[in-house]
């Protein structure tokens, strides 16, 4: 099926991708071709077939709920781009308006 | 003098046990081979400077989390990321005395069939460096084939162990889903991802599988694993081998690949196997589209974690949402972006049932077709890859052409079945791979059949140009 520019922008927003103009056009073409190919699955009438979400028939896999050592705070933050005290630091999540 | 091109891991273990070489000499031999050939082959993304143990060296695909060793999954978004803990497979290797040589190249987030999607440049095939080693685990496969590591671990979602093993002329096992822990592995598609060995021989493969397999309390999708038997027998008497008609007649299989496969099947008969034809029509026709809905959908969910907050790349932006979106656009390469977009689309409101829901039902159909085939046969056989190794750049502009590489490896992955690649000959001077598929947990049957064929074939796994 043909994907429009609006489709690409909508999906990119859902996926948190800030695509460049060039990417929007390239992905529009490529995704159209890929979706056309994968849409083949709709040829089959599978109304009565149950879905497979997992290849093994495992149910209720438990382990003992025992306390174990966890990582120290310094280890947890070792790969963080930014931190402040015991927190991951990020840019403001909403606009701050001066009163 | 240690010939790393010929030495198997089993032989290396023997040399160490009998104290005929020291662990240091062994390490130095592989490091010398890396110094000599990795400039050309680019198998490794990072190297360990000093051996952390006294055992046989091993190379690990860079999606395998290693404590204190950078783990990038071939992506810029994870450049500089150093795990704080070992994945279960890395820990099991350590506990078995194996010593990590370094981390091997991969298509970004294991998405690809050539390693050309690696953010750090492609690996090259030791048989012909103008050609790809396959992917995504091309770094591991090329390292083993090129004598840069005695064995290696890869990971396989739709063919990333089997296909590079085929293109590089070595042995590779994608184990039954749930036999090897995924704890500490960079996730791509969680209902498909499996770690497995890439080795020179089937016996090495069984040894390494025995080391890494088993239930893991840290991965609730793992199961108890039957005891692994090292294959000894050199015949195939009593083994029923099914050849799926649609897999040998599929469009795009090169004639040289077909010839090598047919010669191998004839050899299997001579070794005593009962060979018959079987049918997997829907699995072959719908496997690829099914995979390219399920895997991207799961990937779009798994890759949502890369948001520039807790680890990995962060793009400098003044506002949170702008930071997340810029980080992901700059950090991911084209293929992860394509798959995130495709998966997000397939999961989005209004399309979910038609795409993801329908693909999950196709998956049931694929499982049933295989189950039916295994009522009559112990093992199924086909070529692993429709083609031999292709030239770098040949398929990078056409995602669908690249995806078609996995036509024959994908169906069994969708059904959670184990698959073994065994090199079975040459076509135009390049290796051809035989794919053996078994029922779930039937790795021992694959090792037995693979070993007998390997012995009878006598394939020289050292690339001709390096002999």
């Amino acid at each position: 099926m043909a994907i429009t520019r609006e489709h690409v922008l909508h999906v990119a927003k859902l996926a948190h991708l800030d695509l460049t103009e060039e990417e929007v056009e390239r992905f529009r073409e490529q995704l159209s071709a890929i979706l056309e190919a994968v849409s083949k699955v709709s040829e089959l009438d599978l109304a009565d077939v149950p879905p497979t979400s997992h290849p093994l028939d495992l149910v209720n896999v438990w382990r003992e709920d025992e306390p174990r050592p966890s990582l120290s705070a310094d280890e947890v933050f070792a790969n963080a781009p930014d931190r402040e005290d015991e927190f991951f630091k990020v840019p403001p999540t909403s606009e701050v308006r001066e009163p | 003098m240690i010939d790393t091109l010929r030495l198997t891991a089993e032989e290396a273990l023997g040399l160490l046990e009998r104290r005929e070489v020291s662990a240091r000499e062994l390490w130095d031999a592989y490091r010398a081979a890396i110094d000599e050939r990795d400039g050309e082959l680019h198998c490794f993304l990072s190297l360990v400077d000093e051996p952390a143990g006294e055992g046989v060296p091993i190379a690990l695909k860079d999606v395998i989390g290693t404590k204190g060793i950078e783990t990038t999954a071939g992506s810029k978004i994870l450049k500089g990321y150093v795990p704080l803990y070992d994945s279960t497979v890395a820990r099991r290797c350590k506990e078995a005395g194996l010593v990590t040589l370094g981390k091997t190249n991969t298509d970004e987030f294991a998405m690809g069939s050539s390693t050309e999607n690696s953010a750090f440049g492609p690996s090259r095939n030791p048989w012909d460096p103008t050609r790809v080693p396959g992917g995504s685990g091309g770094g591991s496969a090329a390292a083993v084939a090129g004598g840069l590591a005695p064995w290696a671990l890869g990971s396989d979602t739709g063919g990333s162990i089997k296909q590079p093993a085929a293109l590089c002329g070595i042995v590779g096992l994608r184990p039954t889903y749930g036999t090897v822990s995924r704890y500490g592995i960079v996730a791509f598609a969680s209902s498909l991802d499996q770690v497995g060995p890439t080795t020179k021989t089937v016996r090495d493969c069984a040894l390494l599988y025995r080391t890494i397999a088993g239930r893991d309390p840290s991965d609730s999708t793992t199961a108890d694993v039957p005891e692994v038997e090292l294959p000894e027998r050199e015949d195939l008497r009593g083994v029923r081998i099914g050849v799926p008609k649609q897999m040998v007649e599929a469009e795009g299989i090169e004639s040289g690949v077909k010839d090598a496969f047919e010669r191998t099947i004839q050899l299997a008969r001579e070794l005593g196997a009962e060979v018959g034809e079987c049918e997997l029509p829907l699995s072959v026709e719908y496997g690829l589209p099914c995979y390219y809905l399920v895997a991207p959908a799961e990937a779009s969910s798994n890759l949502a974690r890369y948001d520039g907050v807790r680890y990995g790349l962060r793009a400098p932006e003044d506002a949170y949402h702008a930071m997340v979106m810029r980080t992901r656009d700059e950090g991911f390469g084209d293929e992860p972006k394509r798959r995130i977009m495709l998966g997000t689309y397939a999961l989005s409101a209004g399309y979910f049932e038609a795409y993801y829901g329908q693909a999950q039902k196709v998956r049931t159909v694929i499982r049933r077709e295989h189950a039916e085939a295994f009522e009559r046969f112990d093992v199924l056989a086909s070529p692993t890859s429709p083609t031999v190794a292709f030239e770098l750049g040949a398929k990078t502009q056409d995602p669908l052409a690249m995806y078609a590489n996995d036509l024959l490896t994908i169906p069994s992955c969708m059904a959670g079945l184990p698959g073994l690649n065994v090199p079975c000959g040459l076509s135009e001077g390049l290796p051809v791979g035989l794919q053996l598929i078994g029922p779930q947990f039937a790795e021992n049957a694959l090792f037995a059949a693979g070993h007998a064929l390997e012995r009878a074939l006598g394939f020289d796994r050292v690339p001709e140009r390096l002999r």
Side-chain angles (χ1 to χ4, degrees):
Chain A
M1 73 174 273
I3 296 293
T4 64
R5 184 187 151 76
E6 284 65 39
H7 276 123
V8 174
L9 291 173
H10 173 65
V11 171
K13 195 177 159 200
L14 291 176
H16 287 163
L17 287 168
D18 183 14
L19 301 180
T20 63
E21 264 313 306
E22 182 268 330
E23 285 175 320
V24 171
E25 184 46 32
R26 189 152 42 91
F27 286 141
R28 194 191 61 73
E29 280 175 28
Q30 291 177 342
L31 290 174
S32 295
I34 296 168
L35 274 167
E36 193 183 312
V38 298
S39 293
K40 193 171 170 58
V41 296
S42 63
E43 294 169 2
L44 295 170
D45 178 6
L46 303 176
D48 300 328
V49 177
T52 293
S53 58
H54 191 275
L56 287 187
D57 298 319
L58 296 170
V59 280
N60 291 351
V61 177
W62 306 108
R63 62 172 164 78
E64 293 305 313
D65 188 17
E66 288 167 340
R68 284 182 295 172
S70 54
L71 299 170
S72 69
D74 279 343
E75 287 173 307
V76 169
F77 291 109
N79 282 297
D82 200 3
R83 77 179 275 197
E84 191 170 302
D85 303 325
E86 307 276 284
F87 300 97
F88 293 101
K89 191 176 176 185
V90 295
T93 54
S94 58
E95 217 171 298
V96 182
R97 291 211 182 113
E98 297 298 330
Chain B
M1 179 67 193
I2 299 165
D3 180 1
T4 62
L5 282 162
R6 297 225 170 257
L7 190 71
T8 68
E10 191 178 8
E11 289 164 353
L13 281 163
L15 290 175
L16 285 182
E17 267 169 30
R18 296 189 301 273
R19 298 178 188 276
E20 288 171 32
V21 301
S22 70
R24 184 78 219 190
E25 286 169 315
L26 204 53
W27 172 273
D28 288 343
Y30 287 99
R31 283 304 297 253
I34 291 168
D35 288 345
E36 191 186 324
R37 290 193 285 277
D38 203 42
E40 180 179 52
L41 299 178
H42 191 230
C43 300
F44 286 91
L45 293 180
S46 59
L47 288 167
V48 174
D49 288 331
E50 280 298 315
E54 296 278 305
V56 173
I58 187 167
L60 304 176
K61 188 180 180 185
D62 206 28
V63 297
I64 296 170
T66 41
K67 186 176 181 177
I69 305 172
E70 185 183 15
T71 300
T72 68
S75 181
K76 264 198 314 196
I77 212 162
L78 277 173
K79 185 156 178 46
Y81 171 70
V82 180
L84 301 158
Y85 62 95
D86 271 323
S87 55
T88 297
V89 289
R91 179 175 57 76
R92 287 193 176 170
C93 286
K94 262 186 197 171
E95 286 169 0
L98 304 182
V99 190
T100 305
L101 275 165
K103 305 296 290 291
T104 55
N105 198 13
T106 167
D107 286 293
E108 188 173 356
F109 288 101
M111 296 171 177
S113 309
S114 70
T115 71
E116 290 167 294
N117 293 332
S118 167
F120 308 111
S123 300
R124 289 167 182 272
N125 193 312
W127 289 78
D128 176 355
T130 68
R131 292 172 187 265
V132 302
S136 67
S140 281
V144 174
L148 311 190
W151 51 12
L153 288 182
S155 70
D156 188 302
T157 305
S160 285
I161 291 173
K162 293 183 286 183
Q163 184 257 14
L167 269 46
C168 290
I170 55 164
V171 175
L173 172 73
R174 174 201 163 86
T176 303
Y177 183 86
T179 56
V180 179
S181 171
R182 291 182 293 109
Y183 179 69
I185 307 302
V186 178
F188 162 11
S190 301
S191 78
L192 293 159
D193 296 346
Q194 272 298 280
V195 172
T198 303
T199 60
K200 287 203 174 82
T201 66
V202 175
R203 280 177 64 90
D204 279 2
C205 191
L207 278 170
L208 188 51
Y209 175 64
R210 180 150 80 187
T211 305
I212 58 171
R215 205 169 151 205
D216 178 14
S218 300
D219 177 357
S220 63
T221 61
T222 52
D224 290 320
V225 177
E227 196 174 325
V228 179
E229 294 157 14
L230 284 191
E232 304 274 358
R233 272 178 55 183
E234 303 202 349
D235 66 76
L236 290 170
R237 277 193 298 277
V239 180
R240 300 168 303 166
I241 298 179
V243 178
K245 182 165 163 262
Q246 294 77 13
M247 282 192 164
V248 285
E249 290 175 359
E251 210 181 306
I253 299 183
E254 290 174 350
S255 62
V257 169
K258 213 167 178 173
D259 291 347
F261 173 74
E262 277 163 8
R263 281 196 301 274
T264 308
I265 291 300
Q266 184 50 38
L267 187 63
R269 283 197 190 92
E270 288 161 21
L271 293 171
E274 297 166 34
V275 180
E277 194 177 83
C278 67
E279 303 276 339
L280 291 175
L282 299 176
S283 300
V284 175
E285 190 170 358
Y286 295 93
L288 203 63
C290 176
Y291 175 85
Y292 277 99
L293 286 164
V294 172
E298 294 185 11
S300 72
S301 169
N302 274 325
L303 271 56
R305 73 189 67 183
Y306 300 100
D307 57 4
V309 174
R310 290 155 301 157
Y311 49 81
L313 181 77
R314 175 184 292 186
E317 285 282 347
D318 295 334
Y320 173 76
H321 284 290
M323 179 280 283
V324 173
M325 294 183 71
R326 197 100 296 275
T327 295
R328 290 167 63 78
D329 190 52
E330 286 174 12
F332 291 132
D334 272 4
E335 191 59 32
K337 279 183 200 166
R338 252 192 304 274
R339 299 207 193 181
I340 289 169
M341 298 279 290
L342 183 61
T344 304
Y345 184 83
L347 292 174
S348 64
Y351 298 103
F352 181 91
E353 276 310 319
Y355 288 116
Y356 189 66
Q358 181 78 354
Q360 285 190 311
K361 290 178 173 184
V362 175
R363 215 171 160 181
T364 305
V365 171
I366 295 172
R367 290 178 74 182
R368 287 176 178 171
E369 268 193 354
H370 281 81
E372 208 172 302
F374 286 122
E375 284 172 13
R376 290 172 49 218
F377 297 103
D378 303 306
V379 171
L380 305 183
S382 77
T384 303
S385 164
T387 71
V388 293
F390 45 93
E391 303 264 346
L392 271 94
K395 300 181 182 182
T396 43
Q397 296 310 310
D398 183 354
L400 282 170
M402 190 67 94
Y403 296 172
N405 285 300
D406 298 326
L407 178 73
L408 304 175
T409 51
I410 275 177
S412 55
C413 298
M414 300 311 292
L417 306 174
L420 182 73
N421 177 75
V422 180
C424 70
L426 294 176
S427 166
E428 297 165 34
L430 294 164
V432 175
L434 167 77
Q435 173 177 245
L436 298 173
I437 300 294
Q440 288 186 343
F441 303 105
E443 275 77 0
N444 285 334
L446 299 185
F447 295 145
H451 174 74
L453 283 168
E454 177 183 69
R455 287 301 171 101
L457 282 159
F459 178 79
D460 187 347
R461 60 189 169 259
V462 178
E464 274 171 355
R465 57 187 275 274
L466 299 174
R467 280 174 205 162

